[in-house]
Amino acid sequence: MNFQHFPSSGRGLKDIGWLQSNFFFSFSEYRNPMRSAFGTLLAFNDDFVAAGKGFGLHPHANMEIISVMLNGSMNHKDSMGYTNVVHEDWVQIMSAGTGLRHEEYNVGDDTVNFLQIWIQPKLQNVTPRYQYRHFPRAERRNRLVTIVSPEEGAGHCWINQNTRISLGLFDAGGATEYRFNPENKCLFLFVMSGAIDVAGQALPARDAIGIWDTGEIRITAKGEAEFLLIETPINQK
């Protein structure tokens, strides 16, 4: 097994007052040639948006964009005609394909915190698509729940890539084993709250770890802990 630790203290930072973005990989003005991506995971941003602020209408193409809401309420409006609001414990995806435009603003009173995840698509120039799902905390306790999958299904979002994203919320001492096909696959694990032990490494809140060349990992919560796990291709071959 091989792994790379991504401490929160090593993240890039963009702070423009109403927006604070923490980058694990090169994004916006942050450039780190040693951290350009992890497999087909091209961006993993831990974003905080002030009340009443947000991102105006802007374009995307040929990218799988996932938003995992950790706190607050944020609207979504796009050129496909979708208009809605997503809240804490909701997940939304945009399969940008041939191109779309969208906007999103903090429409609540609290600071929005969401994870912005960009995945390289499997197929180029597909028809754009939007989807969202709710994953209540009570239904995620002490188990891994798939929130994004390469297969269609009513219980999760699906994207144009052989990528699976799971959420874990475990009580102190709770543990789980995650098994996957190690051929051309890697794992990226991010701790939202609490602390965990994985692959012999202690990870506090907001740290991440990338793992490859193994088919199984064991994750143990040190106190109540919430984390996100991304299994994605190492490359497009």
Side-chain angles (χ1 to χ4, degrees):
M1 181 185 73
N2 289 303
F3 68 89
Q4 181 178 0
H5 181 207
F6 295 93
S8 61
S9 59
R11 297 183 296 182
L13 174 63
K14 179 178 182 178
D15 189 344
I16 55 174
W18 65 268
L19 170 66
Q20 183 185 86
S21 293
N22 301 276
F23 307 130
F24 277 108
F25 307 107
S26 295
F27 196 88
S28 188
E29 295 87 4
Y30 172 65
R31 289 292 179 266
N32 185 339
M34 301 303 294
R35 292 188 179 178
S36 58
F38 187 74
T40 55
L41 173 60
L42 302 185
F44 193 102
N45 304 342
D46 186 6
D47 289 346
F48 296 82
V49 181
K53 302 296 184 179
F55 306 91
L57 196 65
H58 59 283
H60 292 287
N62 287 318
M63 190 64 65
E64 302 298 298
I65 301 173
I66 302 103
S67 299
V68 180
M69 292 292 295
L70 303 184
N71 189 72
S73 299
M74 187 166 63
N75 82 321
H76 170 89
K77 183 177 181 179
D78 64 41
S79 55
M80 295 180 288
Y82 290 99
T83 301
N84 66 281
V85 176
V86 290
H87 309 279
E88 180 180 347
D89 297 333
W90 288 72
V91 175
Q92 66 177 12
I93 68 99
M94 290 189 301
S95 208
T98 54
L100 57 81
R101 294 185 299 164
H102 82 121
E103 65 178 47
E104 49 194 358
Y105 287 89
N106 181 344
V107 294
D109 297 325
D110 299 326
T111 297
V112 158
N113 178 207
F114 75 105
L115 304 178
Q116 182 180 175
I117 300 166
W118 288 20
I119 302 286
Q120 182 181 358
K122 179 172 61 176
L123 300 175
Q124 298 286 303
N125 298 319
V126 300
T127 301
R129 185 173 54 83
Y130 173 76
Q131 190 179 36
Y132 63 96
R133 292 281 189 271
H134 183 209
F135 299 93
R137 289 175 65 87
E139 298 177 10
R140 296 189 279 114
R141 187 164 292 276
N142 292 315
R143 67 190 188 102
L144 284 176
V145 173
T146 298
I147 61 172
V148 174
S149 168
E151 297 93 23
E152 294 187 52
H156 56 257
C157 298
W158 66 279
I159 61 171
N160 170 29
Q161 184 50 276
N162 296 321
T163 294
R164 190 174 304 276
I165 304 179
S166 305
L167 280 175
L169 173 60
F170 284 80
D171 295 329
T176 185
E177 292 183 353
Y178 187 87
R179 298 180 178 87
F180 68 105
N181 184 349
E183 184 176 353
N184 196 38
K185 288 290 183 70
C186 56
L187 298 173
F188 184 85
L189 191 154
F190 173 72
V191 183
M192 283 91 82
S193 63
I196 65 170
D197 181 273
V198 58
Q201 300 295 307
L203 295 184
R206 259 49 194 194
D207 273 24
I209 190 170
I211 298 172
W212 66 102
D213 285 343
T214 187
E216 178 178 313
I217 61 170
R218 182 174 178 81
I219 305 165
T220 305
K222 306 295 186 182
E224 183 180 270
E226 187 172 18
F227 57 90
L228 181 141
L229 179 62
I230 302 174
E231 175 188 335
T232 197
I234 294 173
N235 53 48
Q236 291 286 59
K237 70 178 180 180

